[in-house]
Amino acid sequence: MLNIQSLRASVAGTEILKGLDLTINAGEVHAIMGPNGSGKSTLANVLAGRDDYTVTDGSVSFQGNDLLELEPEERARAGVFLAFQYPVEIPGVNNTYLLRAALNAVREARGEAELSAVEFMKLAREKMQSMQMDPGFLNRGVNEGFSGGEKKRNEVFQMSVLEPSLCVLDETDSGLDIDALKIVAEGVNALRDPSRSFLMVTHYQRLLDYIEPDFVHVLAGGKIIRSGDKSLALELEARGYDWVLEEAAA
Amino acid sequence: MSVSQILKSVEQRAVIDSKSVKDAIDALAKLGFPARRVERWRYTRSDAFSEYAARALQTERPSSDNAEAALTRWCKSNEIEHYAAFIGGEFREDLSRVPDGFAIQSIDVAPSIGSLDDPADALVWLNTIATQGRYQISVEGKPEQTLHCVHVPLAEQSIAQTRVHLQIAEGADASITDHLVDGDVTSGMLSLITTIDLAARAKLSHARLQAGGAETLAFTRIDADIAKGATCRTLTLDTGGLLVRNELNLRLNDVDAAAYLDGIYLSNNKQHIDNHTQVDHASRDTVSRESYRGILRDRSRCVFNGKVLVYEGADGTDSVQSNANLLLSDHAEIDTKPELEIYADDVKCAHGATVGQLDPQSLFYLRARGIDEATATQLLTYAFCRELTAELADPVVRRLADTAIAAEIPNFTALELIA
């Protein structure tokens, strides 16, 4: 699904990722943890194609294609979805119409027919219900006036409608209370599928109680310094990051 | 030179029937059109108007046949069933279908409202001297429909000048929209002066949608007196014209009077659009909200000058003003100037002006959802204006405003993305 090799990336001249390797196979859920400033969000944004970040070395292949060659919209259509850490409010652009355009762009790329307005609304209502979102949100501007938690739910709602192959979640759990976290986790779990992969960037082990990862990686100083299964997350929760950093340095 | 030509042609054809006309002639003869050194005309050439008027006033007034046909076509294609027709500046009752609740009549002398005669203005004198008609529109009660005043030019190179007084009775609630349409001609000059007397607790939603031909000159001015508990909402949208000057002066005369001023200007090629606004907080406990937004392309130039004047004793004034601009070309220019003059102690006044490009975060968000860059750019440009048109209460006016905006965005194909 995704193969990252020796990836180096910088923002405003400062190198953040310093030779990162990661392979994600179809159906796997990977969690990336690490201290503040370790490069977690940079990784998520580089995969989505944000142009504030410059890739200076290395390669990223997605389903056999060079991901770094693609524009952000081409990546989205190819099946990469970034759930934003800070979803943007765009007053004046309607939430529903944006999602329908996004879905039809993805469907066109997959060689599927466009959904009619009626079919789309049926699908959107169904998915909204499972995310326990107020249907009134469909008529609002994109994220306009949404609370922090509502914005995160909207991201996972969009993801469930678009059904991407690779879901990249950038601190989707931050700013959520426990009830909202459960709803978001259920939304993600409902999408788990042998043909779909997840890369979850998170600061807290808490999220992994609800979305069980196959692999947990520690990102520090721009590299993955340790990988393990979900027990690694529990150990990090209990002992902090210092021991991993020390072992990696030794 | 052009002033003497104007006065000569006025002498030949106009009836100098009132003191106000005589005063205006005297003032224009004595003071002429303002020079660049006059601060209010620092960025906009007033002599362009005087030269155009001098030429146009010398020619025979053309027949109205083409304009009448253009009016019919415009109303039909925009699905406007009730309207007041102003052809070459003249109200034509025979061509109009005025909705219930509005009474339109000709008047000899237009009242002076607000600060219309102070500061004096050559374009106001010109309108007074050589107007095509002075009208009063009276509203009592709450008419259900919007009155669409459709202003159609007679022919190429023609001039149309109109003076309209809106008398909105106590407790009335009305919606009036001026459409300055091109009438299928590219040139001409329009001068439209509107005075508004908004009685206690009355409400007025006024919109002015200017979509004149590419070579036209437009001067519009609105002066309003807003009484106790009354609310005046205005939206000024400019998409057409070559040289446009809008003056908007709203005076809040008594407690709980409120003014909401929105403006949108979309300029391209060598268009020049100038908005001068002034809000007078003449009483305590009054509210004003002003938001003007512009999108400038090519070599166009726009001016925003927004003055908020808080009178002595006008405590409890609550005023917010903003002007935001998107410069989409290196050669476009915006001159924006907020002015605050405050002579009271207990007031809340905020103002701000921004000039910039589209928000890169929003652009990336849309692209990360599969929307291509060109479409995302168009969408954000449109959304920037649409935040203001969303405030329009009448869906018909809103649709017309949104359509005019979309038409100014090159290759805009994403209309289905708009609610």
PDB file of all heavy atoms in Angstrom, chain A residues 50 71-73 76-77 81-82 88 90-91 94 97 101-102 155 158, chain B residues 361-362 364-373 380 383 387 416-417 419:
ATOM      1  N   ARG A  50       0.975  18.921   1.241  1.00  0.00           N
ATOM      2  CA  ARG A  50       0.973  20.343   1.593  1.00  0.00           C
ATOM      3  C   ARG A  50       2.296  20.980   1.145  1.00  0.00           C
ATOM      4  O   ARG A  50       3.364  20.445   1.430  1.00  0.00           O
ATOM      5  CB  ARG A  50       0.800  20.506   3.107  1.00  0.00           C
ATOM      6  CG  ARG A  50       0.543  21.953   3.521  1.00  0.00           C
ATOM      7  CD  ARG A  50       0.605  22.102   5.009  1.00  0.00           C
ATOM      8  NE  ARG A  50      -0.575  21.581   5.685  1.00  0.00           N
ATOM      9  CZ  ARG A  50      -1.643  22.319   6.005  1.00  0.00           C
ATOM     10  NH1 ARG A  50      -1.677  23.585   5.719  1.00  0.00           N
ATOM     11  NH2 ARG A  50      -2.666  21.766   6.627  1.00  0.00           N
ATOM     12  N   GLU A  71      -0.044  16.053  -7.368  1.00  0.00           N
ATOM     13  CA  GLU A  71      -0.612  17.232  -6.710  1.00  0.00           C
ATOM     14  C   GLU A  71      -1.535  16.754  -5.579  1.00  0.00           C
ATOM     15  O   GLU A  71      -2.016  15.613  -5.604  1.00  0.00           O
ATOM     16  CB  GLU A  71      -1.439  18.045  -7.711  1.00  0.00           C
ATOM     17  CG  GLU A  71      -0.643  18.642  -8.856  1.00  0.00           C
ATOM     18  CD  GLU A  71       0.320  19.738  -8.391  1.00  0.00           C
ATOM     19  OE1 GLU A  71       0.027  20.400  -7.377  1.00  0.00           O
ATOM     20  OE2 GLU A  71       1.374  19.906  -9.033  1.00  0.00           O
ATOM     21  N   PRO A  72      -1.805  17.618  -4.598  1.00  0.00           N
ATOM     22  CA  PRO A  72      -2.674  17.192  -3.493  1.00  0.00           C
ATOM     23  C   PRO A  72      -4.013  16.619  -3.970  1.00  0.00           C
ATOM     24  O   PRO A  72      -4.479  15.596  -3.451  1.00  0.00           O
ATOM     25  CB  PRO A  72      -2.898  18.493  -2.710  1.00  0.00           C
ATOM     26  CG  PRO A  72      -1.740  19.358  -3.031  1.00  0.00           C
ATOM     27  CD  PRO A  72      -1.309  18.995  -4.420  1.00  0.00           C
ATOM     28  N   GLU A  73      -4.623  17.262  -4.984  1.00  0.00           N
ATOM     29  CA  GLU A  73      -5.937  16.781  -5.443  1.00  0.00           C
ATOM     30  C   GLU A  73      -5.822  15.428  -6.135  1.00  0.00           C
ATOM     31  O   GLU A  73      -6.726  14.598  -6.066  1.00  0.00           O
ATOM     32  CB  GLU A  73      -6.630  17.806  -6.349  1.00  0.00           C
ATOM     33  CG  GLU A  73      -5.859  18.259  -7.586  1.00  0.00           C
ATOM     34  CD  GLU A  73      -5.022  19.501  -7.323  1.00  0.00           C
ATOM     35  OE1 GLU A  73      -4.496  19.659  -6.194  1.00  0.00           O
ATOM     36  OE2 GLU A  73      -4.872  20.322  -8.258  1.00  0.00           O
ATOM     37  N   ALA A  76      -5.642  12.847  -3.415  1.00  0.00           N
ATOM     38  CA  ALA A  76      -6.974  12.605  -2.853  1.00  0.00           C
ATOM     39  C   ALA A  76      -7.772  11.678  -3.757  1.00  0.00           C
ATOM     40  O   ALA A  76      -8.426  10.744  -3.298  1.00  0.00           O
ATOM     41  CB  ALA A  76      -7.704  13.935  -2.655  1.00  0.00           C
ATOM     42  N   ARG A  77      -7.697  11.949  -5.058  1.00  0.00           N
ATOM     43  CA  ARG A  77      -8.466  11.130  -6.004  1.00  0.00           C
ATOM     44  C   ARG A  77      -7.916   9.706  -6.091  1.00  0.00           C
ATOM     45  O   ARG A  77      -8.656   8.773  -6.374  1.00  0.00           O
ATOM     46  CB  ARG A  77      -8.437  11.772  -7.387  1.00  0.00           C
ATOM     47  CG  ARG A  77      -9.227  13.066  -7.420  1.00  0.00           C
ATOM     48  CD  ARG A  77      -8.997  13.811  -8.708  1.00  0.00           C
ATOM     49  NE  ARG A  77      -9.529  15.161  -8.620  1.00  0.00           N
ATOM     50  CZ  ARG A  77      -9.373  16.073  -9.567  1.00  0.00           C
ATOM     51  NH1 ARG A  77      -8.730  15.777 -10.673  1.00  0.00           N
ATOM     52  NH2 ARG A  77      -9.883  17.270  -9.409  1.00  0.00           N
ATOM     53  N   PHE A  81      -6.410  10.064   2.057  1.00  0.00           N
ATOM     54  CA  PHE A  81      -7.255  11.025   2.767  1.00  0.00           C
ATOM     55  C   PHE A  81      -6.538  11.489   4.019  1.00  0.00           C
ATOM     56  O   PHE A  81      -6.082  10.680   4.827  1.00  0.00           O
ATOM     57  CB  PHE A  81      -8.591  10.371   3.157  1.00  0.00           C
ATOM     58  CG  PHE A  81      -9.534  11.311   3.857  1.00  0.00           C
ATOM     59  CD1 PHE A  81     -10.515  11.996   3.145  1.00  0.00           C
ATOM     60  CD2 PHE A  81      -9.444  11.525   5.234  1.00  0.00           C
ATOM     61  CE1 PHE A  81     -11.376  12.869   3.785  1.00  0.00           C
ATOM     62  CE2 PHE A  81     -10.302  12.399   5.881  1.00  0.00           C
ATOM     63  CZ  PHE A  81     -11.274  13.078   5.158  1.00  0.00           C
ATOM     64  N   LEU A  82      -6.430  12.802   4.177  1.00  0.00           N
ATOM     65  CA  LEU A  82      -5.869  13.361   5.406  1.00  0.00           C
ATOM     66  C   LEU A  82      -7.000  13.929   6.249  1.00  0.00           C
ATOM     67  O   LEU A  82      -7.721  14.831   5.806  1.00  0.00           O
ATOM     68  CB  LEU A  82      -4.853  14.476   5.082  1.00  0.00           C
ATOM     69  CG  LEU A  82      -4.340  15.275   6.294  1.00  0.00           C
ATOM     70  CD1 LEU A  82      -3.503  14.405   7.220  1.00  0.00           C
ATOM     71  CD2 LEU A  82      -3.520  16.498   5.849  1.00  0.00           C
ATOM     72  N   VAL A  88     -10.118  23.451   8.456  1.00  0.00           N
ATOM     73  CA  VAL A  88     -10.280  24.869   8.148  1.00  0.00           C
ATOM     74  C   VAL A  88     -11.759  25.229   8.011  1.00  0.00           C
ATOM     75  O   VAL A  88     -12.539  24.459   7.459  1.00  0.00           O
ATOM     76  CB  VAL A  88      -9.556  25.186   6.816  1.00  0.00           C
ATOM     77  CG1 VAL A  88      -9.549  26.675   6.542  1.00  0.00           C
ATOM     78  CG2 VAL A  88      -8.138  24.652   6.848  1.00  0.00           C
ATOM     79  N   ILE A  90     -14.432  27.302   6.109  1.00  0.00           N
ATOM     80  CA  ILE A  90     -14.540  28.015   4.833  1.00  0.00           C
ATOM     81  C   ILE A  90     -15.971  28.516   4.650  1.00  0.00           C
ATOM     82  O   ILE A  90     -16.782  27.876   3.970  1.00  0.00           O
ATOM     83  CB  ILE A  90     -14.114  27.128   3.639  1.00  0.00           C
ATOM     84  CG1 ILE A  90     -12.815  26.375   3.953  1.00  0.00           C
ATOM     85  CG2 ILE A  90     -13.950  27.981   2.383  1.00  0.00           C
ATOM     86  CD1 ILE A  90     -12.353  25.452   2.849  1.00  0.00           C
ATOM     87  N   PRO A  91     -16.309  29.648   5.241  1.00  0.00           N
ATOM     88  CA  PRO A  91     -17.660  30.184   5.073  1.00  0.00           C
ATOM     89  C   PRO A  91     -17.909  30.480   3.597  1.00  0.00           C
ATOM     90  O   PRO A  91     -16.990  30.883   2.886  1.00  0.00           O
ATOM     91  CB  PRO A  91     -17.638  31.498   5.878  1.00  0.00           C
ATOM     92  CG  PRO A  91     -16.426  31.440   6.723  1.00  0.00           C
ATOM     93  CD  PRO A  91     -15.443  30.555   6.011  1.00  0.00           C
ATOM     94  N   ASN A  94     -20.350  25.496   0.684  1.00  0.00           N
ATOM     95  CA  ASN A  94     -21.274  24.629   1.400  1.00  0.00           C
ATOM     96  C   ASN A  94     -20.672  23.250   1.667  1.00  0.00           C
ATOM     97  O   ASN A  94     -20.085  22.627   0.789  1.00  0.00           O
ATOM     98  CB  ASN A  94     -22.552  24.530   0.567  1.00  0.00           C
ATOM     99  CG  ASN A  94     -23.581  23.638   1.202  1.00  0.00           C
ATOM    100  OD1 ASN A  94     -23.509  22.423   1.078  1.00  0.00           O
ATOM    101  ND2 ASN A  94     -24.519  24.231   1.899  1.00  0.00           N
ATOM    102  N   TYR A  97     -22.101  20.380  -0.640  1.00  0.00           N
ATOM    103  CA  TYR A  97     -21.703  20.440  -2.040  1.00  0.00           C
ATOM    104  C   TYR A  97     -20.230  20.131  -2.200  1.00  0.00           C
ATOM    105  O   TYR A  97     -19.814  19.515  -3.179  1.00  0.00           O
ATOM    106  CB  TYR A  97     -22.070  21.800  -2.625  1.00  0.00           C
ATOM    107  CG  TYR A  97     -23.564  21.963  -2.779  1.00  0.00           C
ATOM    108  CD1 TYR A  97     -24.364  22.298  -1.699  1.00  0.00           C
ATOM    109  CD2 TYR A  97     -24.175  21.726  -4.016  1.00  0.00           C
ATOM    110  CE1 TYR A  97     -25.734  22.416  -1.832  1.00  0.00           C
ATOM    111  CE2 TYR A  97     -25.546  21.838  -4.155  1.00  0.00           C
ATOM    112  CZ  TYR A  97     -26.321  22.179  -3.062  1.00  0.00           C
ATOM    113  OH  TYR A  97     -27.674  22.277  -3.199  1.00  0.00           O
ATOM    114  N   ALA A 101     -18.851  17.022  -4.417  1.00  0.00           N
ATOM    115  CA  ALA A 101     -17.838  17.226  -5.458  1.00  0.00           C
ATOM    116  C   ALA A 101     -16.620  16.351  -5.186  1.00  0.00           C
ATOM    117  O   ALA A 101     -16.044  15.753  -6.105  1.00  0.00           O
ATOM    118  CB  ALA A 101     -17.437  18.691  -5.516  1.00  0.00           C
ATOM    119  N   ALA A 102     -16.250  16.252  -3.905  1.00  0.00           N
ATOM    120  CA  ALA A 102     -15.102  15.426  -3.534  1.00  0.00           C
ATOM    121  C   ALA A 102     -15.380  13.960  -3.881  1.00  0.00           C
ATOM    122  O   ALA A 102     -14.532  13.273  -4.457  1.00  0.00           O
ATOM    123  CB  ALA A 102     -14.806  15.584  -2.041  1.00  0.00           C
ATOM    124  N   GLU A 155     -14.479  15.472   9.870  1.00  0.00           N
ATOM    125  CA  GLU A 155     -13.379  14.873   9.112  1.00  0.00           C
ATOM    126  C   GLU A 155     -13.611  13.375   8.930  1.00  0.00           C
ATOM    127  O   GLU A 155     -13.452  12.839   7.840  1.00  0.00           O
ATOM    128  CB  GLU A 155     -12.034  15.097   9.829  1.00  0.00           C
ATOM    129  CG  GLU A 155     -11.591  16.547   9.914  1.00  0.00           C
ATOM    130  CD  GLU A 155     -11.231  17.133   8.560  1.00  0.00           C
ATOM    131  OE1 GLU A 155     -10.198  16.762   8.005  1.00  0.00           O
ATOM    132  OE2 GLU A 155     -12.023  17.965   8.073  1.00  0.00           O
ATOM    133  N   GLN A 158     -16.475  12.746   6.543  1.00  0.00           N
ATOM    134  CA  GLN A 158     -16.034  12.866   5.147  1.00  0.00           C
ATOM    135  C   GLN A 158     -15.285  11.614   4.709  1.00  0.00           C
ATOM    136  O   GLN A 158     -15.494  11.092   3.614  1.00  0.00           O
ATOM    137  CB  GLN A 158     -15.103  14.078   4.980  1.00  0.00           C
ATOM    138  CG  GLN A 158     -15.795  15.421   5.151  1.00  0.00           C
ATOM    139  CD  GLN A 158     -14.826  16.583   5.001  1.00  0.00           C
ATOM    140  OE1 GLN A 158     -13.629  16.397   4.831  1.00  0.00           O
ATOM    141  NE2 GLN A 158     -15.352  17.796   5.068  1.00  0.00           N
TER     142      GLN A 158
ATOM    143  N   GLN B 361      -4.278  27.932   3.525  1.00  0.00           N
ATOM    144  CA  GLN B 361      -4.803  26.799   4.309  1.00  0.00           C
ATOM    145  C   GLN B 361      -6.121  26.294   3.714  1.00  0.00           C
ATOM    146  O   GLN B 361      -6.349  25.092   3.590  1.00  0.00           O
ATOM    147  CB  GLN B 361      -5.061  27.211   5.766  1.00  0.00           C
ATOM    148  CG  GLN B 361      -3.899  27.889   6.459  1.00  0.00           C
ATOM    149  CD  GLN B 361      -2.726  26.953   6.688  1.00  0.00           C
ATOM    150  OE1 GLN B 361      -2.895  25.744   6.738  1.00  0.00           O
ATOM    151  NE2 GLN B 361      -1.539  27.521   6.794  1.00  0.00           N
ATOM    152  N   SER B 362      -6.995  27.257   3.366  1.00  0.00           N
ATOM    153  CA  SER B 362      -8.291  26.881   2.787  1.00  0.00           C
ATOM    154  C   SER B 362      -8.091  26.215   1.429  1.00  0.00           C
ATOM    155  O   SER B 362      -8.759  25.236   1.092  1.00  0.00           O
ATOM    156  CB  SER B 362      -9.178  28.105   2.618  1.00  0.00           C
ATOM    157  OG  SER B 362      -9.355  28.749   3.859  1.00  0.00           O
ATOM    158  N   PHE B 364      -5.504  24.534   0.388  1.00  0.00           N
ATOM    159  CA  PHE B 364      -4.978  23.180   0.558  1.00  0.00           C
ATOM    160  C   PHE B 364      -6.080  22.224   1.036  1.00  0.00           C
ATOM    161  O   PHE B 364      -6.162  21.081   0.585  1.00  0.00           O
ATOM    162  CB  PHE B 364      -3.800  23.165   1.538  1.00  0.00           C
ATOM    163  CG  PHE B 364      -3.280  21.779   1.813  1.00  0.00           C
ATOM    164  CD1 PHE B 364      -2.689  21.044   0.795  1.00  0.00           C
ATOM    165  CD2 PHE B 364      -3.401  21.202   3.071  1.00  0.00           C
ATOM    166  CE1 PHE B 364      -2.226  19.754   1.023  1.00  0.00           C
ATOM    167  CE2 PHE B 364      -2.945  19.909   3.309  1.00  0.00           C
ATOM    168  CZ  PHE B 364      -2.349  19.185   2.280  1.00  0.00           C
ATOM    169  N   TYR B 365      -6.935  22.705   1.923  1.00  0.00           N
ATOM    170  CA  TYR B 365      -8.015  21.852   2.433  1.00  0.00           C
ATOM    171  C   TYR B 365      -8.902  21.362   1.281  1.00  0.00           C
ATOM    172  O   TYR B 365      -9.219  20.175   1.184  1.00  0.00           O
ATOM    173  CB  TYR B 365      -8.843  22.623   3.467  1.00  0.00           C
ATOM    174  CG  TYR B 365      -9.853  21.771   4.202  1.00  0.00           C
ATOM    175  CD1 TYR B 365      -9.492  21.053   5.344  1.00  0.00           C
ATOM    176  CD2 TYR B 365     -11.163  21.658   3.749  1.00  0.00           C
ATOM    177  CE1 TYR B 365     -10.409  20.266   6.013  1.00  0.00           C
ATOM    178  CE2 TYR B 365     -12.086  20.868   4.417  1.00  0.00           C
ATOM    179  CZ  TYR B 365     -11.704  20.172   5.550  1.00  0.00           C
ATOM    180  OH  TYR B 365     -12.616  19.388   6.207  1.00  0.00           O
ATOM    181  N   LEU B 366      -9.268  22.289   0.400  1.00  0.00           N
ATOM    182  CA  LEU B 366     -10.131  21.905  -0.727  1.00  0.00           C
ATOM    183  C   LEU B 366      -9.403  20.938  -1.660  1.00  0.00           C
ATOM    184  O   LEU B 366      -9.985  19.952  -2.125  1.00  0.00           O
ATOM    185  CB  LEU B 366     -10.582  23.145  -1.500  1.00  0.00           C
ATOM    186  CG  LEU B 366     -11.501  24.105  -0.739  1.00  0.00           C
ATOM    187  CD1 LEU B 366     -11.781  25.349  -1.578  1.00  0.00           C
ATOM    188  CD2 LEU B 366     -12.817  23.423  -0.370  1.00  0.00           C
ATOM    189  N   ARG B 367      -8.128  21.213  -1.923  1.00  0.00           N
ATOM    190  CA  ARG B 367      -7.373  20.334  -2.822  1.00  0.00           C
ATOM    191  C   ARG B 367      -7.205  18.950  -2.191  1.00  0.00           C
ATOM    192  O   ARG B 367      -7.268  17.930  -2.892  1.00  0.00           O
ATOM    193  CB  ARG B 367      -6.012  20.936  -3.141  1.00  0.00           C
ATOM    194  CG  ARG B 367      -6.117  22.234  -3.923  1.00  0.00           C
ATOM    195  CD  ARG B 367      -4.751  22.817  -4.210  1.00  0.00           C
ATOM    196  NE  ARG B 367      -4.041  22.050  -5.220  1.00  0.00           N
ATOM    197  CZ  ARG B 367      -2.748  22.215  -5.494  1.00  0.00           C
ATOM    198  NH1 ARG B 367      -2.027  23.097  -4.811  1.00  0.00           N
ATOM    199  NH2 ARG B 367      -2.174  21.496  -6.430  1.00  0.00           N
ATOM    200  N   ALA B 368      -7.022  18.900  -0.873  1.00  0.00           N
ATOM    201  CA  ALA B 368      -6.871  17.612  -0.197  1.00  0.00           C
ATOM    202  C   ALA B 368      -8.172  16.808  -0.227  1.00  0.00           C
ATOM    203  O   ALA B 368      -8.192  15.643   0.148  1.00  0.00           O
ATOM    204  CB  ALA B 368      -6.414  17.815   1.249  1.00  0.00           C
ATOM    205  N   ARG B 369      -9.258  17.462  -0.658  1.00  0.00           N
ATOM    206  CA  ARG B 369     -10.520  16.741  -0.835  1.00  0.00           C
ATOM    207  C   ARG B 369     -10.783  16.440  -2.306  1.00  0.00           C
ATOM    208  O   ARG B 369     -11.901  16.119  -2.699  1.00  0.00           O
ATOM    209  CB  ARG B 369     -11.685  17.548  -0.235  1.00  0.00           C
ATOM    210  CG  ARG B 369     -11.613  17.704   1.279  1.00  0.00           C
ATOM    211  CD  ARG B 369     -11.727  16.354   1.989  1.00  0.00           C
ATOM    212  NE  ARG B 369     -11.502  16.467   3.427  1.00  0.00           N
ATOM    213  CZ  ARG B 369     -10.351  16.153   4.028  1.00  0.00           C
ATOM    214  NH1 ARG B 369      -9.322  15.699   3.327  1.00  0.00           N
ATOM    215  NH2 ARG B 369     -10.228  16.268   5.333  1.00  0.00           N
ATOM    216  N   GLY B 370      -9.767  16.648  -3.137  1.00  0.00           N
ATOM    217  CA  GLY B 370      -9.888  16.250  -4.536  1.00  0.00           C
ATOM    218  C   GLY B 370     -10.358  17.350  -5.471  1.00  0.00           C
ATOM    219  O   GLY B 370     -10.611  17.100  -6.644  1.00  0.00           O
ATOM    220  N   ILE B 371     -10.513  18.580  -4.962  1.00  0.00           N
ATOM    221  CA  ILE B 371     -10.936  19.692  -5.817  1.00  0.00           C
ATOM    222  C   ILE B 371      -9.689  20.275  -6.487  1.00  0.00           C
ATOM    223  O   ILE B 371      -8.723  20.617  -5.795  1.00  0.00           O
ATOM    224  CB  ILE B 371     -11.616  20.803  -4.972  1.00  0.00           C
ATOM    225  CG1 ILE B 371     -12.679  20.221  -4.042  1.00  0.00           C
ATOM    226  CG2 ILE B 371     -12.178  21.897  -5.864  1.00  0.00           C
ATOM    227  CD1 ILE B 371     -13.865  19.604  -4.724  1.00  0.00           C
ATOM    228  N   ASP B 372      -9.706  20.382  -7.814  1.00  0.00           N
ATOM    229  CA  ASP B 372      -8.481  20.856  -8.474  1.00  0.00           C
ATOM    230  C   ASP B 372      -8.215  22.319  -8.122  1.00  0.00           C
ATOM    231  O   ASP B 372      -9.110  23.050  -7.712  1.00  0.00           O
ATOM    232  CB  ASP B 372      -8.546  20.633  -9.990  1.00  0.00           C
ATOM    233  CG  ASP B 372      -9.604  21.483 -10.631  1.00  0.00           C
ATOM    234  OD1 ASP B 372      -9.384  22.696 -10.778  1.00  0.00           O
ATOM    235  OD2 ASP B 372     -10.676  20.928 -10.970  1.00  0.00           O
ATOM    236  N   GLU B 373      -6.971  22.727  -8.315  1.00  0.00           N
ATOM    237  CA  GLU B 373      -6.526  24.028  -7.832  1.00  0.00           C
ATOM    238  C   GLU B 373      -7.326  25.187  -8.438  1.00  0.00           C
ATOM    239  O   GLU B 373      -7.701  26.132  -7.739  1.00  0.00           O
ATOM    240  CB  GLU B 373      -5.027  24.209  -8.121  1.00  0.00           C
ATOM    241  CG  GLU B 373      -4.467  25.450  -7.459  1.00  0.00           C
ATOM    242  CD  GLU B 373      -2.955  25.565  -7.602  1.00  0.00           C
ATOM    243  OE1 GLU B 373      -2.370  24.801  -8.386  1.00  0.00           O
ATOM    244  OE2 GLU B 373      -2.382  26.439  -6.932  1.00  0.00           O
ATOM    245  N   LEU B 380     -13.063  29.814  -3.577  1.00  0.00           N
ATOM    246  CA  LEU B 380     -12.702  30.672  -2.445  1.00  0.00           C
ATOM    247  C   LEU B 380     -12.927  32.151  -2.783  1.00  0.00           C
ATOM    248  O   LEU B 380     -13.319  32.939  -1.934  1.00  0.00           O
ATOM    249  CB  LEU B 380     -11.249  30.429  -2.025  1.00  0.00           C
ATOM    250  CG  LEU B 380     -10.997  29.066  -1.399  1.00  0.00           C
ATOM    251  CD1 LEU B 380      -9.520  28.877  -1.115  1.00  0.00           C
ATOM    252  CD2 LEU B 380     -11.803  28.889  -0.116  1.00  0.00           C
ATOM    253  N   ALA B 383     -16.609  32.553  -2.470  1.00  0.00           N
ATOM    254  CA  ALA B 383     -17.040  32.462  -1.076  1.00  0.00           C
ATOM    255  C   ALA B 383     -16.729  33.750  -0.303  1.00  0.00           C
ATOM    256  O   ALA B 383     -17.481  34.156   0.583  1.00  0.00           O
ATOM    257  CB  ALA B 383     -16.357  31.267  -0.397  1.00  0.00           C
ATOM    258  N   GLU B 387     -20.113  35.613   1.588  1.00  0.00           N
ATOM    259  CA  GLU B 387     -20.375  35.844   3.004  1.00  0.00           C
ATOM    260  C   GLU B 387     -21.237  37.085   3.203  1.00  0.00           C
ATOM    261  O   GLU B 387     -21.997  37.165   4.155  1.00  0.00           O
ATOM    262  CB  GLU B 387     -19.039  36.022   3.740  1.00  0.00           C
ATOM    263  CG  GLU B 387     -18.477  34.747   4.286  1.00  0.00           C
ATOM    264  CD  GLU B 387     -17.293  35.028   5.193  1.00  0.00           C
ATOM    265  OE1 GLU B 387     -17.490  35.214   6.386  1.00  0.00           O
ATOM    266  OE2 GLU B 387     -16.161  35.079   4.653  1.00  0.00           O
ATOM    267  N   GLU B 416     -22.348  24.585  -8.839  1.00  0.00           N
ATOM    268  CA  GLU B 416     -23.100  23.554  -8.113  1.00  0.00           C
ATOM    269  C   GLU B 416     -22.558  23.342  -6.710  1.00  0.00           C
ATOM    270  O   GLU B 416     -23.181  22.704  -5.889  1.00  0.00           O
ATOM    271  CB  GLU B 416     -23.131  22.231  -8.901  1.00  0.00           C
ATOM    272  CG  GLU B 416     -21.862  21.425  -8.843  1.00  0.00           C
ATOM    273  CD  GLU B 416     -20.844  21.825  -9.920  1.00  0.00           C
ATOM    274  OE1 GLU B 416     -20.997  22.894 -10.533  1.00  0.00           O
ATOM    275  OE2 GLU B 416     -19.924  21.048 -10.151  1.00  0.00           O
ATOM    276  N   LEU B 417     -21.375  23.914  -6.449  1.00  0.00           N
ATOM    277  CA  LEU B 417     -20.801  23.777  -5.114  1.00  0.00           C
ATOM    278  C   LEU B 417     -21.390  24.784  -4.146  1.00  0.00           C
ATOM    279  O   LEU B 417     -21.082  24.789  -2.964  1.00  0.00           O
ATOM    280  CB  LEU B 417     -19.291  23.974  -5.171  1.00  0.00           C
ATOM    281  CG  LEU B 417     -18.516  22.780  -5.704  1.00  0.00           C
ATOM    282  CD1 LEU B 417     -17.104  23.156  -6.035  1.00  0.00           C
ATOM    283  CD2 LEU B 417     -18.514  21.675  -4.648  1.00  0.00           C
ATOM    284  N   ALA B 419     -24.360  26.654  -2.124  1.00  0.00           N
ATOM    285  CA  ALA B 419     -25.690  26.361  -1.571  1.00  0.00           C
ATOM    286  C   ALA B 419     -26.715  27.317  -2.160  1.00  0.00           C
ATOM    287  O   ALA B 419     -26.418  28.453  -2.430  1.00  0.00           O
ATOM    288  CB  ALA B 419     -25.658  26.524  -0.075  1.00  0.00           C
TER     289      ALA B 419
END
